[in-house]
């Protein structure tokens, strides 16, 4: 695996690969890699000749400086995992390089940041889109792979890519979970073993909501998820709700639609965890 730190150097590498006719895939990450990230690499290898993983802890998307400071970093382990996963290139830029000559741009997010993670993390999605644009600018992938674990981020990136006529295809990849059902996340490493066990209630609540989707009224499902979470005082529910899959607007009733998505966020000890589940009319 090639490790490239300088943005113009990765641009050169990609240009060379392209001249040989390679189809290029990018998986942007913030490191502290786990099986969720590796699932994205595996998916990319199916359709791409050259798979690039970027590791960059993006300061623009953190609104809490402490969260940024405590964000786990494991460069040595990450490199080994990427080698084993068959990743071709690791792009490891420095902050000053990636933001060289950079003017933040305010994107039209189509109102997709109005709910769920948006209000509790002001500026977060603008920060994500700005850095993804920088990564795309240097790597110019044909396809970029993002996890459904962060479905609001994925929906926003798909929207911006369409609206801005970005040539990159945004590919969505399913959520990888621990055996307990807990969605894998780099932040899980900050949980103690007991907290990690208790955090599984988040997915349990989502599954319970999914089992009643399109049959029970939405307010009843919301109340039942709140009741489930209240059984576990160490898991503090931040929000749960059901949304339209396209506009991400909260729903009060099912209407005629055949799909919807349930979003959840909860605080477990020092960490805020998010998850979601797609709801499909049976
Ligand atoms: P992060 O390093 O947390 O910024 O995540 C990098 C990419 O990996 C994003 O597209 C995430 O949605 C995706 N990702 C993170 N956790 C998971 C997971 N458990 N399953 C699938 N994709 C994930």
């Amino acid at each position: 695996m090639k490790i490239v730190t300088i943005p113009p150097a990765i641009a050169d590498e990609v240009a060379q690969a392209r001249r040989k006719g390679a189809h290029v895939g990018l998986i942007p990450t913030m490191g502290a890699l786990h099986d969720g990230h590796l699932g994205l690499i595996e998916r990319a290898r199916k359709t791409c000749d050259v798979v690039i993983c970027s590791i960059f802890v993006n300061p623009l998307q953190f609104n809490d400086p402490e969260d940024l400071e405590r964000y786990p970093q494991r460069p040595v382990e990450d490199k080994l995992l990427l080698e084993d996963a068959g990743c071709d290139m690791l792009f490891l830029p420095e902050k000053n390089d990636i933001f060289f000559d950079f003017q933040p741009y305010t994107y039209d997010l189509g109102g997709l940041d109005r709910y769920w993670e948006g209000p509790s993390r002001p500026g977060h999605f603008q920060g994500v889109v700005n850095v993804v644009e920088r990564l795309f600018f240097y790597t110019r992938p044909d396809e970029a792979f993002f996890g459904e674990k962060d479905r609001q981020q994925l929906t926003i990136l798909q929207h911006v890519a369409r609206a801005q006529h970005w040539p990159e295809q945004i590919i969505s990849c399913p959520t990888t979970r621990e055996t307990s059902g807990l969605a894998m996340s780099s932040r899980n490493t900050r949980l103690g073993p007991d907290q990690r066990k208790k955090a599984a209630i988040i997915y349990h609540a989502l599954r319970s909501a999914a089992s009643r989707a399109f049959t029970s009224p939405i307010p009843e499902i919301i109340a039942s998820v709140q009741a489930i979470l209240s059984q576990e005082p160490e898991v503090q529910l931040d929000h749960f709700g059901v949304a339209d899959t396209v506009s991400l607007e909260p729903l009060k009733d099912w209407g005629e639609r055949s799909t919807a998505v349930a979003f959840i966020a909860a605080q477990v000890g020092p960490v805020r965890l998010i998850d979601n589940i797609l709801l499909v009319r049976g």
Side-chain angles (χ1 to χ4, degrees):
M1 180 178 68
K2 264 192 187 146
I3 301 177
V4 185
T5 54
I6 313 291
I10 192 87
D12 268 359
E13 291 284 348
V14 176
Q16 276 182 39
R18 265 189 202 297
R19 276 198 290 278
K20 293 182 197 146
H23 192 72
V24 178
L26 173 71
I27 296 103
T29 80
M30 296 205 297
L33 301 179
H34 50 67
D35 282 352
H37 298 114
L38 301 181
L40 269 57
I41 309 250
E42 200 178 306
R43 167 62 188 82
R45 289 187 60 195
K46 291 194 174 134
T47 49
C48 300
D49 309 300
V50 172
V51 174
I52 308 171
C53 176
S54 63
I55 298 184
F56 180 64
V57 182
N58 171 26
L60 297 183
Q61 72 186 68
F62 286 82
N63 26 14
D64 174 0
E66 204 173 297
D67 190 27
L68 172 60
E69 203 166 296
R70 300 234 171 113
Y71 199 83
Q73 298 202 29
R74 291 196 316 233
V76 177
E77 291 89 336
D78 286 353
K79 280 173 205 162
L80 292 174
L81 285 172
L82 288 174
E83 290 271 10
D84 280 355
C87 179
D88 300 294
M89 282 183 215
L90 167 59
F91 180 35
L92 206 54
E94 293 287 336
K95 191 172 120 197
N96 290 342
D97 289 332
I98 203 95
F99 294 129
F100 173 74
D101 223 11
F102 166 75
Q103 292 295 331
Y105 182 79
T106 303
Y107 288 88
D108 178 356
L109 305 183
L112 294 166
D113 62 336
R114 237 179 302 161
Y115 306 101
W116 318 115
E117 287 306 282
S120 38
R121 305 185 71 184
H124 167 74
F125 290 115
Q126 289 291 347
V128 169
V129 176
N130 270 272
V131 89
V132 166
E133 186 281 330
R134 286 291 82 193
L135 294 170
F136 282 7
F137 177 77
Y138 290 115
T139 60
R140 287 272 90 104
D142 296 288
E143 300 181 13
F145 299 83
F146 294 89
E148 287 168 7
K149 150 85 170 46
D150 301 288
R151 186 177 292 276
Q152 190 171 13
Q153 164 177 290
L154 172 66
T155 310
I156 287 175
L157 286 168
Q158 283 168 331
H159 167 83
V160 173
R162 236 182 352 257
Q164 299 286 323
H165 304 287
W166 286 355
E168 291 79 9
Q169 266 199 67
I170 308 287
I171 312 285
S172 68
C173 304
T175 303
T176 305
R177 300 182 178 280
E178 296 184 359
T179 338
S180 69
L182 177 65
M184 290 195 176
S185 163
S186 308
R187 288 189 167 89
N188 292 355
T189 56
R190 292 182 55 204
L191 298 173
D194 193 47
Q195 291 171 326
R196 205 160 171 142
K197 222 189 248 170
K198 289 179 173 161
I201 200 166
I202 295 171
Y203 186 56
H204 169 70
L206 283 180
R207 287 289 300 271
S208 147
S211 71
R212 299 174 60 185
F214 298 101
T215 49
S216 300
I218 291 174
E220 270 181 30
I221 293 181
I222 294 176
S224 106
V225 165
Q226 287 166 343
I228 292 173
L229 268 287
S230 69
Q231 291 163 24
E232 192 46 85
E234 264 208 72
V235 181
Q236 283 295 318
L237 183 62
D238 181 64
H239 65 241
F240 170 82
V242 175
D244 182 84
T245 45
V246 179
S247 70
L248 303 188
E249 287 195 18
L251 299 176
K252 290 198 174 73
D253 53 64
W254 299 106
E256 295 300 304
R257 62 180 48 76
S258 54
T259 59
V261 56
F263 284 108
I264 193 163
Q267 187 77 27
V268 186
V271 188
R272 188 163 176 282
L273 298 175
I274 59 169
D275 202 349
N276 69 86
I277 196 165
L278 190 68
L279 310 172
V280 182
R281 199 183 278 273

